[in-house]
Amino acid sequence: MLVSSTLRAVLLAVCVSLAWSDTPANCLYEDIRGTWTFQETERSGDSSLSCDELGPVVHTKTFTLSFPNNVMDEFGNEGTWTMIYNQGFEVNINERSYFAFSYYEGDFTSSTSYCDRTFSGWSRDKTVRNWSCFSAQKNTKTTPRVSRKIATPLSTRAFKNDLKMVEEINSSQTSWQAKVYPLHEKYSVEEMFLRGGGPGSVLPNPPSPAPATPEQKTRVSFLPENFDWRDVEGVNYVSAVRDQASCGSCYTFASMAQLEARLRMVTRNQRQDVFSTQDAVSCSVLSQGCMGGFAYLIAGRYAVDQGVVAEECNPYTALDDPCDTDTSCARTYVSEYEYVGGYYGACNEELMLQALVEKGPLPVGYMVYDDFYNYGGGIYHHTGFKNDFNPLEVTSHAVLLVGYGVDNATGEKYWTCKNSWGADWGEDGFFRIRRGSNECSIESMAFDATVIP
Ligand SMILES: *[C@@H]1O[C@H](CO)[C@@H](O)[C@H](O)[C@H]1NC(C)=O
Ligand SMILES: *[C@@H]1O[C@H](CO)[C@@H](O)[C@H](O)[C@H]1NC(C)=O
Ligand SMILES: *[C@@H]1O[C@H](CO)[C@@H](O)[C@H](O)[C@H]1NC(C)=O
């Protein structure tokens, strides 16, 4: 679709102002745990149900969310629940699945989260039919949480490499090498921040990995010392590296990269689809478009609810364009999804190793600091050096975990991940990062999904 540059500018201005008022919440586990009343509309809708407004309530349910991921209704029926980062929560009980974003007011520079209530959310049964809208209110009040996700207004001036920082990184340690990327200077400071995850993905309280059980440790001891889905006995199951450009769409690149790899695995490379990342940016009510989003909600819930389409059905523009996916395109669905370990907060290195080898590549979240943008190769760890020209807020970036290993010379353990910053960045578009010490929270938020071939 050709859009005149004036129209595009107008659209962009509208989208940006909408997105800025559309500020995700910052809710903690303790805010959400407890007894809730769910008010639900008639279960007669289909997957096109917008739930912008709740509508007439016909079901009222009481759900008690308790540690670690148990839900019980007023009759004693049991189910499961999970937080989705600090943004909202999903409840699965009585053959139905409920998801809503936590309520907030304000914008990224100053917002108040009302974690004891939700926006209007979506509910449907396990077979993805009988849709309804609902909103949830906790039976006990939580104190409104005031937060500031970004401290400095995002600047539209050009991003600048900090040569001094690159030299400091290089001379202070030998695990990894930093590099000047002249290509980054075509982006503004704001756009670089969006590449790293964007304001919608700022995560002030990343979870800690769960302690490994003796059983988990034993299972891991049977796994190979080095493993990589790009070369399993000579066969590659990982699709090509892409570039998200100036949009905070890492979550959909990591999501589609997972589904692409999983599809290659289950079809023995007969299907080598490249899925549309723009579709999730523009068409999913579960993402914040170019402002950020979460693999759980895209490779998981969205891929179950709506399915994903081939790249040509909505080619990538890196803009918050209106939804323009070709509706005649076939959709590919996911059957099951979960955070590694079963819920947000249950992840650890052992579970990730096992899920990676036994099930396939996994989207992971981790914290992106200034030094990471200049990663050139080696095994990354955060050095603490800052880019003095344009220090960026720490945000959570999503990438696809494809392998792990141990450095032959130093014995340092690492993960191998596929980034979405083009094939010229890092190690042919991939990077390695220290493993076993939750470096930048990388061992705390892995995600698993099963694709239907
Ligand atoms: C549930 O969905 C099925 C299939 O779409 C439909 O036949 C049925 O009437 C729906 N039930 C309700 C309560 O709307
Ligand atoms: C940092 O080290 C890498 C690898 O040794 C080298 O290519 C690069 O030029 C160095 N950069 C600076 C600014 O020291
Ligand atoms: C490290 O050692 C393993 C096993 O001997 C070998 O397969 C691998 O190619 C080596 N890797 C590098 C980077 O030298």
Side-chain angles (χ1 to χ4, degrees), residues 244 247-253 256 276-293 298 302 314 316-325:
Q244 68 186 86
C247 169
S249 51
C250 56
Y251 63 93
T252 174
F253 280 86
M256 298 311 144
S276 168
T277 48
Q278 191 66 40
D279 178 65
V281 166
S282 292
C283 306
S284 177
V285 292
L286 303 178
S287 86
Q288 284 80 46
C290 284
M291 287 289 143
I298 298 305
Y302 182 67
N314 193 347
Y316 190 59
T317 63
L319 296 171
D320 272 312
D321 290 330
C323 179
D324 187 27
T325 296

mmCIF file of all heavy atoms in Angstrom, residues 244 247-253 256 276-293 298 302 314 316-325:
data_model
loop_
_atom_site.group_PDB
_atom_site.id
_atom_site.type_symbol
_atom_site.label_atom_id
_atom_site.label_comp_id
_atom_site.label_asym_id
_atom_site.label_seq_id
_atom_site.Cartn_x
_atom_site.Cartn_y
_atom_site.Cartn_z
ATOM 1 N N GLN A 244 14.799 -5.001 12.890
ATOM 2 C CA GLN A 244 13.562 -4.344 13.323
ATOM 3 C C GLN A 244 13.568 -2.855 13.023
ATOM 4 O O GLN A 244 12.535 -2.196 13.192
ATOM 5 C CB GLN A 244 13.351 -4.581 14.814
ATOM 6 C CG GLN A 244 14.377 -3.881 15.700
ATOM 7 C CD GLN A 244 14.231 -4.264 17.160
ATOM 8 O OE1 GLN A 244 14.769 -5.250 17.626
ATOM 9 N NE2 GLN A 244 13.496 -3.439 17.899
ATOM 10 N N CYS A 247 11.723 0.681 15.183
ATOM 11 C CA CYS A 247 10.447 0.407 15.869
ATOM 12 C C CYS A 247 10.720 -0.506 17.065
ATOM 13 O O CYS A 247 11.589 -1.375 16.994
ATOM 14 C CB CYS A 247 9.523 -0.262 14.847
ATOM 15 S SG CYS A 247 8.004 -1.005 15.453
ATOM 16 N N GLY A 248 9.999 -0.304 18.171
ATOM 17 C CA GLY A 248 10.181 -1.144 19.372
ATOM 18 C C GLY A 248 9.456 -2.466 19.244
ATOM 19 O O GLY A 248 8.600 -2.813 20.053
ATOM 20 N N SER A 249 9.815 -3.220 18.198
ATOM 21 C CA SER A 249 9.080 -4.429 17.832
ATOM 22 C C SER A 249 9.880 -5.700 18.073
ATOM 23 O O SER A 249 9.578 -6.745 17.503
ATOM 24 C CB SER A 249 8.711 -4.340 16.349
ATOM 25 O OG SER A 249 9.880 -4.034 15.591
ATOM 26 N N CYS A 250 10.909 -5.627 18.926
ATOM 27 C CA CYS A 250 11.746 -6.810 19.179
ATOM 28 C C CYS A 250 10.909 -8.009 19.585
ATOM 29 O O CYS A 250 11.196 -9.144 19.201
ATOM 30 C CB CYS A 250 12.780 -6.507 20.256
ATOM 31 S SG CYS A 250 12.071 -5.926 21.808
ATOM 32 N N TYR A 251 9.843 -7.778 20.354
ATOM 33 C CA TYR A 251 9.015 -8.877 20.854
ATOM 34 C C TYR A 251 8.392 -9.673 19.706
ATOM 35 O O TYR A 251 8.239 -10.888 19.799
ATOM 36 C CB TYR A 251 7.920 -8.331 21.789
ATOM 37 C CG TYR A 251 6.960 -7.400 21.075
ATOM 38 C CD1 TYR A 251 5.794 -7.886 20.525
ATOM 39 C CD2 TYR A 251 7.253 -6.038 20.912
ATOM 40 C CE1 TYR A 251 4.930 -7.047 19.832
ATOM 41 C CE2 TYR A 251 6.401 -5.194 20.230
ATOM 42 C CZ TYR A 251 5.249 -5.700 19.686
ATOM 43 O OH TYR A 251 4.415 -4.877 18.982
ATOM 44 N N THR A 252 8.010 -8.999 18.621
ATOM 45 C CA THR A 252 7.397 -9.749 17.524
ATOM 46 C C THR A 252 8.468 -10.416 16.655
ATOM 47 O O THR A 252 8.251 -11.506 16.131
ATOM 48 C CB THR A 252 6.384 -8.915 16.705
ATOM 49 O OG1 THR A 252 5.953 -9.672 15.588
ATOM 50 C CG2 THR A 252 6.933 -7.606 16.247
ATOM 51 N N PHE A 253 9.662 -9.806 16.562
ATOM 52 C CA PHE A 253 10.755 -10.491 15.845
ATOM 53 C C PHE A 253 11.173 -11.756 16.590
ATOM 54 O O PHE A 253 11.390 -12.805 15.978
ATOM 55 C CB PHE A 253 11.936 -9.537 15.632
ATOM 56 C CG PHE A 253 11.707 -8.618 14.465
ATOM 57 C CD1 PHE A 253 11.024 -7.428 14.626
ATOM 58 C CD2 PHE A 253 12.117 -8.987 13.196
ATOM 59 C CE1 PHE A 253 10.767 -6.599 13.539
ATOM 60 C CE2 PHE A 253 11.860 -8.169 12.100
ATOM 61 C CZ PHE A 253 11.190 -6.971 12.274
ATOM 62 N N MET A 256 8.165 -14.316 16.099
ATOM 63 C CA MET A 256 8.081 -14.941 14.780
ATOM 64 C C MET A 256 9.303 -15.824 14.536
ATOM 65 O O MET A 256 9.196 -16.891 13.929
ATOM 66 C CB MET A 256 7.933 -13.894 13.669
ATOM 67 C CG MET A 256 6.667 -13.056 13.777
ATOM 68 S SD MET A 256 5.162 -14.038 14.019
ATOM 69 C CE MET A 256 4.245 -12.975 15.116
ATOM 70 N N SER A 276 5.006 -12.623 9.325
ATOM 71 C CA SER A 276 4.859 -11.164 9.344
ATOM 72 C C SER A 276 4.983 -10.620 10.766
ATOM 73 O O SER A 276 4.143 -10.926 11.629
ATOM 74 C CB SER A 276 3.494 -10.786 8.764
ATOM 75 O OG SER A 276 3.220 -9.429 9.033
ATOM 76 N N THR A 277 6.009 -9.811 10.973
ATOM 77 C CA THR A 277 6.154 -9.142 12.262
ATOM 78 C C THR A 277 5.235 -7.919 12.315
ATOM 79 O O THR A 277 4.758 -7.537 13.375
ATOM 80 C CB THR A 277 7.615 -8.692 12.465
ATOM 81 O OG1 THR A 277 8.044 -8.027 11.274
ATOM 82 C CG2 THR A 277 8.509 -9.880 12.723
ATOM 83 N N GLN A 278 4.984 -7.319 11.133
ATOM 84 C CA GLN A 278 4.118 -6.139 11.079
ATOM 85 C C GLN A 278 2.698 -6.481 11.524
ATOM 86 O O GLN A 278 2.022 -5.665 12.154
ATOM 87 C CB GLN A 278 4.093 -5.580 9.646
ATOM 88 C CG GLN A 278 3.440 -4.206 9.538
ATOM 89 C CD GLN A 278 4.241 -3.137 10.263
ATOM 90 O OE1 GLN A 278 5.473 -3.134 10.213
ATOM 91 N NE2 GLN A 278 3.551 -2.256 10.970
ATOM 92 N N ASP A 279 2.246 -7.684 11.201
ATOM 93 C CA ASP A 279 0.890 -8.104 11.585
ATOM 94 C C ASP A 279 0.691 -7.955 13.095
ATOM 95 O O ASP A 279 -0.322 -7.412 13.536
ATOM 96 C CB ASP A 279 0.656 -9.556 11.137
ATOM 97 C CG ASP A 279 -0.707 -10.067 11.556
ATOM 98 O OD1 ASP A 279 -1.710 -9.533 11.050
ATOM 99 O OD2 ASP A 279 -0.761 -10.981 12.395
ATOM 100 N N ALA A 280 1.664 -8.395 13.878
ATOM 101 C CA ALA A 280 1.525 -8.278 15.333
ATOM 102 C C ALA A 280 1.644 -6.823 15.786
ATOM 103 O O ALA A 280 0.948 -6.385 16.707
ATOM 104 C CB ALA A 280 2.570 -9.136 16.037
ATOM 105 N N VAL A 281 2.527 -6.058 15.123
ATOM 106 C CA VAL A 281 2.696 -4.641 15.471
ATOM 107 C C VAL A 281 1.392 -3.880 15.216
ATOM 108 O O VAL A 281 0.930 -3.103 16.050
ATOM 109 C CB VAL A 281 3.840 -3.997 14.641
ATOM 110 C CG1 VAL A 281 3.816 -2.481 14.724
ATOM 111 C CG2 VAL A 281 5.197 -4.531 15.106
ATOM 112 N N SER A 282 0.775 -4.126 14.049
ATOM 113 C CA SER A 282 -0.361 -3.309 13.620
ATOM 114 C C SER A 282 -1.720 -3.881 13.994
ATOM 115 O O SER A 282 -2.678 -3.135 14.113
ATOM 116 C CB SER A 282 -0.331 -3.150 12.097
ATOM 117 O OG SER A 282 0.772 -2.374 11.712
ATOM 118 N N CYS A 283 -1.819 -5.187 14.124
ATOM 119 C CA CYS A 283 -3.149 -5.802 14.217
ATOM 120 C C CYS A 283 -3.469 -6.403 15.576
ATOM 121 O O CYS A 283 -4.622 -6.744 15.825
ATOM 122 C CB CYS A 283 -3.303 -6.881 13.155
ATOM 123 S SG CYS A 283 -2.950 -6.283 11.485
ATOM 124 N N SER A 284 -2.490 -6.580 16.453
ATOM 125 C CA SER A 284 -2.790 -7.254 17.713
ATOM 126 C C SER A 284 -3.175 -6.264 18.805
ATOM 127 O O SER A 284 -2.429 -5.315 19.072
ATOM 128 C CB SER A 284 -1.600 -8.081 18.191
ATOM 129 O OG SER A 284 -1.934 -8.655 19.439
ATOM 130 N N VAL A 285 -4.318 -6.502 19.458
ATOM 131 C CA VAL A 285 -4.691 -5.683 20.620
ATOM 132 C C VAL A 285 -3.814 -6.028 21.824
ATOM 133 O O VAL A 285 -3.870 -5.358 22.844
ATOM 134 C CB VAL A 285 -6.173 -5.899 21.003
ATOM 135 C CG1 VAL A 285 -7.085 -5.332 19.945
ATOM 136 C CG2 VAL A 285 -6.472 -7.388 21.238
ATOM 137 N N LEU A 286 -2.987 -7.072 21.690
ATOM 138 C CA LEU A 286 -2.152 -7.510 22.815
ATOM 139 C C LEU A 286 -0.754 -6.914 22.775
ATOM 140 O O LEU A 286 0.085 -7.248 23.602
ATOM 141 C CB LEU A 286 -2.069 -9.040 22.828
ATOM 142 C CG LEU A 286 -3.405 -9.776 22.912
ATOM 143 C CD1 LEU A 286 -3.195 -11.275 22.860
ATOM 144 C CD2 LEU A 286 -4.141 -9.387 24.190
ATOM 145 N N SER A 287 -0.471 -6.060 21.773
ATOM 146 C CA SER A 287 0.847 -5.421 21.729
ATOM 147 C C SER A 287 0.678 -3.907 21.786
ATOM 148 O O SER A 287 -0.422 -3.397 21.568
ATOM 149 C CB SER A 287 1.595 -5.801 20.452
ATOM 150 O OG SER A 287 1.250 -4.927 19.383
ATOM 151 N N GLN A 288 1.766 -3.216 22.092
ATOM 152 C CA GLN A 288 1.756 -1.753 22.053
ATOM 153 C C GLN A 288 2.445 -1.275 20.784
ATOM 154 O O GLN A 288 3.092 -0.233 20.767
ATOM 155 C CB GLN A 288 2.442 -1.166 23.295
ATOM 156 C CG GLN A 288 1.600 -1.227 24.569
ATOM 157 C CD GLN A 288 1.643 -2.596 25.211
ATOM 158 O OE1 GLN A 288 2.707 -3.193 25.350
ATOM 159 N NE2 GLN A 288 0.495 -3.110 25.598
ATOM 160 N N GLY A 289 2.366 -2.076 19.725
ATOM 161 C CA GLY A 289 2.911 -1.677 18.427
ATOM 162 C C GLY A 289 4.398 -1.393 18.508
ATOM 163 O O GLY A 289 5.164 -2.208 19.038
ATOM 164 N N CYS A 290 4.826 -0.225 18.024
ATOM 165 C CA CYS A 290 6.251 0.132 18.032
ATOM 166 C C CYS A 290 6.730 0.598 19.398
ATOM 167 O O CYS A 290 7.901 0.931 19.562
ATOM 168 C CB CYS A 290 6.522 1.213 16.988
ATOM 169 S SG CYS A 290 6.560 0.553 15.303
ATOM 170 N N MET A 291 5.843 0.667 20.388
ATOM 171 C CA MET A 291 6.251 1.097 21.727
ATOM 172 C C MET A 291 6.679 -0.090 22.582
ATOM 173 O O MET A 291 7.208 0.078 23.672
ATOM 174 C CB MET A 291 5.105 1.837 22.420
ATOM 175 C CG MET A 291 4.851 3.202 21.865
ATOM 176 S SD MET A 291 6.183 4.357 22.322
ATOM 177 C CE MET A 291 6.257 5.306 20.827
ATOM 178 N N GLY A 292 6.406 -1.309 22.134
ATOM 179 C CA GLY A 292 6.834 -2.480 22.896
ATOM 180 C C GLY A 292 5.749 -3.533 22.975
ATOM 181 O O GLY A 292 4.619 -3.328 22.505
ATOM 182 N N GLY A 293 6.108 -4.661 23.571
ATOM 183 C CA GLY A 293 5.174 -5.776 23.697
ATOM 184 C C GLY A 293 5.905 -6.975 24.267
ATOM 185 O O GLY A 293 7.071 -6.867 24.670
ATOM 186 N N ILE A 298 2.337 -12.554 22.100
ATOM 187 C CA ILE A 298 2.327 -12.624 20.626
ATOM 188 C C ILE A 298 2.572 -14.059 20.141
ATOM 189 O O ILE A 298 1.691 -14.648 19.524
ATOM 190 C CB ILE A 298 3.320 -11.608 20.023
ATOM 191 C CG1 ILE A 298 2.892 -10.174 20.417
ATOM 192 C CG2 ILE A 298 3.398 -11.766 18.507
ATOM 193 C CD1 ILE A 298 1.457 -9.793 20.048
ATOM 194 N N TYR A 302 -1.635 -14.431 21.126
ATOM 195 C CA TYR A 302 -2.084 -13.964 19.799
ATOM 196 C C TYR A 302 -2.018 -15.096 18.765
ATOM 197 O O TYR A 302 -2.918 -15.258 17.938
ATOM 198 C CB TYR A 302 -1.233 -12.774 19.358
ATOM 199 C CG TYR A 302 -1.627 -12.178 18.020
ATOM 200 C CD1 TYR A 302 -2.843 -11.532 17.861
ATOM 201 C CD2 TYR A 302 -0.769 -12.269 16.924
ATOM 202 C CE1 TYR A 302 -3.208 -10.984 16.633
ATOM 203 C CE2 TYR A 302 -1.119 -11.712 15.697
ATOM 204 C CZ TYR A 302 -2.342 -11.070 15.560
ATOM 205 O OH TYR A 302 -2.694 -10.529 14.350
ATOM 206 N N ASN A 314 1.630 -8.967 5.102
ATOM 207 C CA ASN A 314 1.712 -7.632 5.717
ATOM 208 C C ASN A 314 3.191 -7.312 5.913
ATOM 209 O O ASN A 314 3.736 -7.472 7.002
ATOM 210 C CB ASN A 314 0.937 -7.584 7.045
ATOM 211 C CG ASN A 314 0.730 -6.151 7.535
ATOM 212 O OD1 ASN A 314 1.353 -5.207 7.029
ATOM 213 N ND2 ASN A 314 -0.142 -5.980 8.522
ATOM 214 N N TYR A 316 6.902 -5.795 6.456
ATOM 215 C CA TYR A 316 7.363 -4.954 7.560
ATOM 216 C C TYR A 316 7.638 -3.525 7.124
ATOM 217 O O TYR A 316 8.336 -3.303 6.133
ATOM 218 C CB TYR A 316 8.632 -5.554 8.172
ATOM 219 C CG TYR A 316 9.032 -4.892 9.463
ATOM 220 C CD1 TYR A 316 8.164 -4.885 10.545
ATOM 221 C CD2 TYR A 316 10.271 -4.261 9.598
ATOM 222 C CE1 TYR A 316 8.508 -4.272 11.743
ATOM 223 C CE2 TYR A 316 10.629 -3.658 10.799
ATOM 224 C CZ TYR A 316 9.741 -3.661 11.861
ATOM 225 O OH TYR A 316 10.088 -3.061 13.044
ATOM 226 N N THR A 317 7.095 -2.562 7.874
ATOM 227 C CA THR A 317 7.352 -1.140 7.594
ATOM 228 C C THR A 317 8.069 -0.447 8.744
ATOM 229 O O THR A 317 8.529 0.673 8.594
ATOM 230 C CB THR A 317 6.025 -0.377 7.386
ATOM 231 O OG1 THR A 317 5.271 -0.435 8.607
ATOM 232 C CG2 THR A 317 5.204 -0.961 6.246
ATOM 233 N N ALA A 318 8.121 -1.077 9.931
ATOM 234 C CA ALA A 318 8.705 -0.463 11.130
ATOM 235 C C ALA A 318 7.919 0.758 11.589
ATOM 236 O O ALA A 318 8.449 1.617 12.289
ATOM 237 C CB ALA A 318 10.185 -0.114 10.918
ATOM 238 N N LEU A 319 6.652 0.842 11.197
ATOM 239 C CA LEU A 319 5.810 1.970 11.614
ATOM 240 C C LEU A 319 4.549 1.445 12.288
ATOM 241 O O LEU A 319 4.124 0.317 12.041
ATOM 242 C CB LEU A 319 5.392 2.796 10.391
ATOM 243 C CG LEU A 319 6.510 3.485 9.610
ATOM 244 C CD1 LEU A 319 5.957 4.067 8.320
ATOM 245 C CD2 LEU A 319 7.170 4.567 10.455
ATOM 246 N N ASP A 320 3.931 2.325 13.092
ATOM 247 C CA ASP A 320 2.647 1.974 13.702
ATOM 248 C C ASP A 320 1.523 2.176 12.695
ATOM 249 O O ASP A 320 0.607 2.954 12.916
ATOM 250 C CB ASP A 320 2.416 2.840 14.950
ATOM 251 C CG ASP A 320 3.007 2.207 16.189
ATOM 252 O OD1 ASP A 320 2.767 1.008 16.412
ATOM 253 O OD2 ASP A 320 3.718 2.905 16.935
ATOM 254 N N ASP A 321 1.611 1.471 11.583
ATOM 255 C CA ASP A 321 0.587 1.576 10.540
ATOM 256 C C ASP A 321 -0.734 0.967 11.014
ATOM 257 O O ASP A 321 -0.725 0.064 11.837
ATOM 258 C CB ASP A 321 1.035 0.794 9.295
ATOM 259 C CG ASP A 321 2.192 1.450 8.586
ATOM 260 O OD1 ASP A 321 2.305 2.688 8.644
ATOM 261 O OD2 ASP A 321 2.996 0.721 7.963
ATOM 262 N N PRO A 322 -1.851 1.422 10.435
ATOM 263 C CA PRO A 322 -3.117 0.727 10.716
ATOM 264 C C PRO A 322 -3.036 -0.713 10.207
ATOM 265 O O PRO A 322 -2.263 -0.998 9.290
ATOM 266 C CB PRO A 322 -4.155 1.510 9.907
ATOM 267 C CG PRO A 322 -3.486 2.740 9.431
ATOM 268 C CD PRO A 322 -2.005 2.523 9.481
ATOM 269 N N CYS A 323 -3.837 -1.590 10.774
ATOM 270 C CA CYS A 323 -3.803 -3.001 10.388
ATOM 271 C C CYS A 323 -4.186 -3.149 8.915
ATOM 272 O O CYS A 323 -5.232 -2.687 8.484
ATOM 273 C CB CYS A 323 -4.778 -3.788 11.257
ATOM 274 S SG CYS A 323 -4.812 -5.538 10.818
ATOM 275 N N ASP A 324 -3.318 -3.799 8.150
ATOM 276 C CA ASP A 324 -3.569 -3.945 6.719
ATOM 277 C C ASP A 324 -3.150 -5.344 6.251
ATOM 278 O O ASP A 324 -2.560 -5.508 5.184
ATOM 279 C CB ASP A 324 -2.788 -2.846 5.971
ATOM 280 C CG ASP A 324 -3.124 -2.815 4.487
ATOM 281 O OD1 ASP A 324 -4.244 -3.218 4.130
ATOM 282 O OD2 ASP A 324 -2.253 -2.407 3.690
ATOM 283 N N THR A 325 -3.427 -6.352 7.078
ATOM 284 C CA THR A 325 -3.048 -7.714 6.706
ATOM 285 C C THR A 325 -4.031 -8.270 5.676
ATOM 286 O O THR A 325 -5.240 -8.105 5.825
ATOM 287 C CB THR A 325 -3.024 -8.612 7.960
ATOM 288 O OG1 THR A 325 -2.004 -8.125 8.832
ATOM 289 C CG2 THR A 325 -2.728 -10.061 7.600
#
